Amino acid sequence: MGQREVWRLMSRFNAFKRTNTILHHLRMSKHTDAAEDVLLEKKGCAGVITLNRPKFLNALTLNMIRQIYSQLKKWEQDPETFLIIIKGAGGKAFCAGGDIRVISEAEKAKQNIAPVFFREEYMLNNAVGSCQKPYVALIHGITMGGGVGLSVHGQFRVATEKCLFAMPETAIGLFPDVGGGYFLPRLQGKLGYFLALTGFRLKGRDVYRAGIATHFVDSEKLAMLEEDLLALKSPSKENIASVLENYHTESKIDRDKSFMLEEHMDKINSCFSANTVEEIIENLKQDGSSFALEQLKVINKMSPTSLKITLRQLMEGSSKTLQEVLTMEYRLSQACMF
């Protein structure tokens, strides 16, 4: 073999090595990024979950769901973990929902991950609802869809003035899942039906007044609240509730303002008490008030199929357990996907 051939072989070998090195780094980078999408830390007496995709408003991926579920189960069995805190990084969002973009891209690549994604997300929602340790969700910023499922089923939900809650699924051809069929019909009057069908957004203290949050705390005190919770020594559920109640009582933002929907609750209860979407639409037309006509305009923009599914979902869910509702919603989700 001549010298030229030897150099050519060496050059090809070095190029192969460089390519392998680059691919290895890319794989490691991808793995590291995925691992850092959610931070799972033991701090003081608590297990702390931080949703860590601020550029994507902390939207949930399948990898995040799996990591949270696994760690939640471990902390639940750990005698040194007395409470679990979940929060979002970045200040803009707690969690804006499931990352539908990832599901959509996977579908385009002929990878059907929707059944797995929804099943495991709903399993996590059920784990939150049945968690044996006090579970504190700090719902600061945007809290929609999957973010609601990660918080509303827990024992304590702490909203701030920057919390923005909504279940906007009827606008995108879905339904308010993640246990929406369980908690929405259990809100005061027909408020849950109204929120589900219109996707109406609640802000700040109104998230507490609606019964979605259990406490309200000024955002500037949120870090201090977390520190006080972490500093507790072998706390009971009552100890944790006492700390939350103290911060809630001291909060002054919008304390004197009434619930933004208070003046409309009679109309909501009247119009949204019907058993069909057609009757609800007719009720809104008959009412004729500016509020009713505005909701009529909103509903007319929604997916008609989604509206009908959602109304039936809430009616059925009003008498089911959370686990039964999540089973029903999984079946619905797959029917909507295909």
Side-chain angles (χ1 to χ4, degrees):
M1 186 183 290
Q3 193 174 17
R4 185 178 295 174
E5 282 77 11
V6 171
W7 279 110
R8 189 182 293 129
L9 281 170
M10 286 182 67
S11 175
R12 287 173 65 185
F13 178 71
N14 286 334
F16 176 74
K17 272 181 71 177
R18 279 197 304 274
T19 302
N20 266 356
T21 302
I22 290 166
L23 287 170
H24 174 72
H25 281 301
L26 282 171
R27 280 194 296 269
M28 289 301 292
S29 168
K30 189 175 180 183
H31 175 75
T32 304
D33 288 347
E36 290 177 353
D37 283 348
V38 57
L39 308 178
L40 304 162
E41 305 166 284
K42 184 70 175 24
K43 295 182 179 180
C45 66
V48 181
I49 302 165
T50 306
L51 308 175
N52 194 35
R53 298 182 76 210
K55 288 183 181 176
F56 301 97
L57 301 177
N58 298 323
L60 283 174
T61 63
L62 182 57
N63 181 61
M64 291 167 73
I65 289 166
R66 286 174 170 171
Q67 287 189 70
I68 295 168
Y69 181 87
S70 174
Q71 190 60 61
L72 190 62
K73 289 298 181 183
K74 288 174 186 172
W75 280 335
E76 203 171 9
Q77 299 303 318
D78 176 20
E80 297 303 310
T81 301
F82 291 88
L83 77 148
I84 293 159
I85 297 172
I86 185 166
K87 60 182 180 176
K92 284 188 178 178
F94 168 68
C95 173
D99 197 336
I100 301 299
R101 178 181 55 88
V102 171
I103 297 174
S104 176
E105 286 174 2
E107 294 290 335
K108 288 174 187 173
K110 307 298 182 188
Q111 295 176 338
N112 183 20
I113 69 165
V116 179
F117 183 93
F118 284 103
R119 182 173 67 249
E120 296 196 29
E121 183 181 24
Y122 297 173
M123 284 171 62
L124 176 55
N125 299 151
N126 188 61
V128 170
S130 61
C131 186
Q132 298 302 301
K133 299 285 174 76
Y135 183 97
V136 182
L138 305 178
I139 49 176
H140 173 67
I142 298 166
T143 305
M144 296 185 184
V148 176
L150 274 182
S151 55
V152 77
H153 305 302
Q155 196 165 11
F156 302 110
R157 290 93 63 190
V158 183
T160 72
E161 75 279 5
K162 294 184 180 177
C163 180
L164 176 63
F165 165 94
M167 296 297 277
E169 288 81 2
T170 52
I172 57 171
L174 289 172
F175 57 92
D177 62 339
V178 298
Y182 179 79
F183 82 89
L184 286 166
R186 287 166 172 79
L187 298 179
Q188 55 181 291
K190 293 295 177 179
L191 178 61
Y193 290 79
F194 166 73
L195 296 174
L197 294 169
T198 65
F200 189 88
R201 296 181 172 194
L202 293 171
K203 298 175 184 176
R205 197 179 280 268
D206 283 336
V207 179
Y208 162 74
R209 291 197 177 105
I212 293 152
T214 57
H215 297 82
F216 180 86
V217 173
D218 299 350
S219 61
E220 63 178 23
K221 298 284 181 66
L222 205 56
M224 204 182 306
L225 166 63
E226 187 179 343
E227 285 176 19
D228 283 354
L229 288 171
L230 297 178
L232 292 170
K233 305 297 180 188
S234 306
S236 65
K237 181 181 74 174
E238 290 72 24
N239 297 146
I240 294 161
S242 178
V243 171
L244 294 173
E245 194 58 39
N246 286 341
Y247 274 85
H248 174 79
T249 304
E250 290 172 10
S251 173
K252 295 191 170 50
I253 294 177
D254 293 336
R255 181 191 286 175
D256 300 325
K257 283 187 180 178
S258 60
F259 180 37
M260 70 179 300
L261 291 172
E262 188 64 46
E263 62 180 304
H264 304 299
M265 279 308 299
D266 285 345
K267 294 182 189 302
I268 289 171
N269 292 338
S270 171
C271 293
F272 288 82
S273 61
N275 292 326
T276 67
V277 174
E278 290 85 352
E279 286 177 80
I280 290 172
I281 288 171
E282 187 56 35
N283 288 344
L284 291 168
K285 285 179 181 176
Q286 291 293 326
D287 182 278
S289 66
S290 58
F291 175 79
L293 295 177
E294 183 60 35
Q295 305 323 309
L296 183 62
K297 196 186 299 181
V298 170
I299 283 176
N300 282 333
K301 292 177 183 176
M302 301 304 185
S303 158
T305 304
S306 288
L307 291 170
K308 286 178 173 285
I309 290 172
T310 297
L311 181 58
R312 178 72 179 273
Q313 171 205 2
L314 267 62
M315 291 169 69
E316 294 283 334
S318 65
S319 58
K320 292 181 185 291
T321 65
L322 174 59
Q323 191 168 350
E324 288 169 341
V325 166
L326 289 166
T327 301
M328 172 182 73
E329 290 179 356
Y330 176 71
R331 293 167 181 157
L332 284 172
S333 74
Q334 298 315 291
C336 288
M337 289 289 130
F338 305 107

